[in-house]
Every structure is written in C-alpha cells, then in structure tokens.
Amino acid sequence: MADAPSYIYLASRSLRRRELLQQIRVEHESLMLRVNPPREPDVKEDPVPGESPSDYVTRICRAKAEAAWNRMIERQLPHKAVLAADTTVCLGDQIFGAPANAEEARITLRRLSGRQHRVLTAVALKLEGALDLAVSESTVRFRYIEKEELERYVDSGEPLGKAGGYAIQGRAAIFVSELHGSYSGVVGLPLYETAAMLKKFGVM
C-alpha cells in the first residue's frame, strides 16, 4: 500500500493476526521460526510450575520476539521491526493452551461452558536492541453449551490450534454472552497496544 509507511516482520503464521494487521494498514511479512517442521520448536511453550498466566504469556511472547529476531539475522534478511504475540486462556491460574486433539478440546470447552474466563494476549515489538511489550486482558463469558452443539463445534475442527479451544471470530461467537476488554486481543492481536508500539518505534 503506497500510503502505509510501515513494514515489519510478523513472527507468526496466524492468518487472523495477518488480517488484523491488514485492518490497520500495516505492511508485513510473516517470519516463520521453523522453516523445516521436523526441527525442534524455537520456543517451548510449556508453562513453568507455579507460573501465573500473565507471567507465562509475557515470557512466551518475549521469547518469540527474540527468536524471530535471531532468525532474521541468521537468514541475513533486511533489519526491520519484529512483532510477536501470544494468547492464553485461563480460569483462575489454570492455563488452557491450544488443544492437541478433539478430546482435549472437549475437556476445555466443558470447563469454559457457562463460566467467565480471562483471555491474555501479550504483544512484543523488537527492533535492534530495543524491545517493548504489553499485555491485553479481557474477560469472556460463555453461555451453557449444549452437548450436541459442543460435539458439532469440536467436529468442525475449529478448536484445534486455538488457545482455549475456540475462535471468537468463528463459530464460537454464538457461545459468547459477554465480552469486556479487547475483541482484537481475544482474536489474537490487540490492535490498541500494537498500534501504540508501532508508533513508538516509528514504523506506523
């Protein structure tokens, strides 16, 4: 886009994050951490025992930004700001990551059904020696999810790869009775915090 002065690397393969950046007219290129999938992940996302959800999502997001910056240098790419984000869903201090299979998705969604949970999305921007990080916190309440519709939702495949086993921008929107906070943060990239960082770094 000719009128968009920004150009960054996005340390994510998430289509929803790319769409949110496009929404605010930020030109970007996805910087995949793993070129060859069989290789070990650059960032291990297992929670540390006793780690709070806020500390967890902050640590993972910072690690993703640092790993992506190092990958940019290794590939001898032009130096541009690197944006990373990480989302987690939690009930109290219990962290719900992305379910690995349908059964994990069922268990998670049963726990969230009829209850209020928190969604934390950390966003980090790194450029040379500077790194800025912010966390967006929202609360989401699900209505009670009937067994049959839960099964239909799990069978759709949408819960896989999504923190908390759902995508608010997808079919799971019908489960949400209340949302307080940032809709874009729940989707996966809080645009208020992201835009503030981009402006601070002079890339927007």
Side-chain angles (χ1 to χ4, degrees):
M1 302 171 194
D3 60 341
S6 56
Y7 186 88
I8 65 170
Y9 295 117
L10 174 63
S12 174
R13 61 181 70 244
S14 166
L15 177 59
R16 63 189 184 277
R17 289 186 177 127
R18 297 200 66 178
E19 291 172 342
L20 287 167
L21 284 178
Q22 291 167 359
Q23 181 179 323
I24 59 173
R25 304 182 69 80
V26 174
E27 291 189 88
H28 60 281
E29 176 183 343
S30 287
L31 183 61
M32 306 303 185
L33 298 186
R34 287 183 288 173
V35 177
N36 301 310
R39 205 188 75 193
E40 284 294 311
D42 292 75
V43 176
K44 293 186 178 180
E45 300 187 23
D46 296 329
V48 174
E51 188 174 37
S52 72
S54 179
D55 288 343
Y56 167 76
V57 76
T58 298
R59 175 176 61 84
I60 298 301
C61 184
R62 184 185 299 274
K64 286 182 176 180
E66 296 285 2
W69 182 266
N70 292 335
R71 190 68 62 236
M72 178 195 71
I73 293 174
E74 289 174 7
R75 295 178 190 168
Q76 299 182 329
L77 299 173
H79 284 207
K80 299 288 184 181
V82 170
L83 181 72
D86 191 71
T87 301
T88 193
V89 168
C90 56
L91 274 174
D93 283 338
Q94 183 177 5
I95 295 170
F96 293 92
N101 52 53
E103 184 55 30
E104 284 189 14
R106 287 187 188 93
I107 293 169
T108 298
L109 290 167
R110 288 188 195 117
R111 290 293 312 281
L112 300 180
S113 176
R115 304 181 68 177
Q116 179 175 285
H117 61 270
R118 291 188 297 152
V119 180
L120 305 176
T121 297
V123 58
L125 190 66
K126 181 173 176 61
L127 180 61
E128 303 301 343
L131 186 145
D132 201 7
L133 189 146
V135 178
S136 167
E137 179 172 339
S138 302
T139 58
V140 177
R141 181 177 293 277
F142 276 4
R143 63 167 171 79
Y144 177 73
I145 305 172
E146 299 286 347
K147 180 179 178 180
E148 294 77 10
E149 60 184 350
L150 188 150
E151 288 299 323
R152 286 196 300 271
Y153 184 60
V154 171
D155 288 344
S156 76
E158 187 176 277
L160 301 183
K162 311 294 193 305
Y166 75 94
I168 195 170
Q169 74 279 14
R171 301 185 185 189
I174 64 171
F175 305 147
V176 178
S177 60
E178 291 181 41
L179 186 156
H180 299 278
S182 169
Y183 174 78
S184 61
V186 177
V187 174
L189 186 69
L191 292 182
Y192 174 82
E193 289 82 357
T194 299
M197 282 186 189
L198 292 170
K199 289 178 181 177
K200 180 178 178 180
F201 278 65
V203 290
M204 182 177 184

